[in-house]
Amino acid sequence: MLQTGLIAQEFLHHMNEADKHQLFNYLLGLNVTHKENVNTSFYTYKNLKKWLKPKQQPIQTFSFINDHNDELIISQLKYQKLFKQGYQIKVFYNLNEYDYHLVDDLLVELKGELLSYA
């Protein structure tokens, strides 16, 4: 499996400028949300009859495709296990799951590329 830095460079190399700006804006918002919610979980006793059914509910899912048909999918999920609820982000590149470091590397590459033009 490739390193996340190489994946970020490869994905962005084959992407047009308008899509790069859209991805950059989305990742900036996602980064703020992730920093606020990464270690947040809470207990709720609201739905006692559903407590045996762990579930994940997608909050938002975004998909980005570059000119080489490489696909980046980022899903924000709210999960529930017993009485505990929490927040999670799943990142997929060409249907392989990666951790949040791929988002960080994409942000670094995009900041360097887009802000150098300004």
Side-chain angles (χ1 to χ4, degrees):
M1 199 175 290
L2 293 173
Q3 293 178 355
T4 58
L6 295 174
I7 292 171
Q9 289 175 355
E10 178 184 326
F11 183 73
L12 294 174
H13 180 70
H14 302 290
M15 198 172 212
N16 64 37
E17 290 300 312
D19 289 341
K20 284 181 185 179
H21 284 282
Q22 183 181 6
L23 177 62
F24 182 62
N25 289 332
Y26 169 70
L27 292 180
L28 284 175
L30 178 72
N31 200 31
V32 169
T33 303
H34 179 68
K35 284 181 181 178
E36 289 178 4
N37 294 320
V38 68
N39 293 321
T40 303
S41 63
F42 60 93
Y43 291 92
T44 181
Y45 303 102
K46 191 164 87 175
N47 298 323
L48 287 176
K49 55 184 161 175
K50 295 181 182 179
W51 69 278
L52 286 176
K53 297 180 184 177
K55 61 181 179 179
Q56 290 185 343
Q57 297 174 341
I59 298 172
Q60 284 184 326
T61 299
F62 286 94
S63 176
F64 296 94
I65 299 175
N66 66 8
D67 296 338
H68 279 219
N69 288 330
D70 295 324
E71 186 174 28
L72 175 69
I73 300 171
I74 302 171
S75 295
Q76 297 180 51
L77 303 168
K78 181 175 78 173
Y79 67 87
Q80 177 180 345
K81 294 179 185 174
L82 282 174
F83 300 116
K84 185 177 182 180
Q85 293 191 3
Y87 169 84
Q88 181 179 20
I89 292 181
K90 291 196 175 198
V91 180
F92 295 94
Y93 178 73
N94 290 338
L95 301 179
N96 294 319
E97 188 171 0
Y98 290 88
D99 58 4
Y100 195 77
H101 293 298
L102 179 56
V103 172
D104 289 333
D105 289 340
L106 283 166
L107 263 174
V108 167
E109 290 291 324
L110 284 168
K111 280 181 186 177
E113 189 174 318
L114 296 177
L115 298 179
S116 66
Y117 293 131

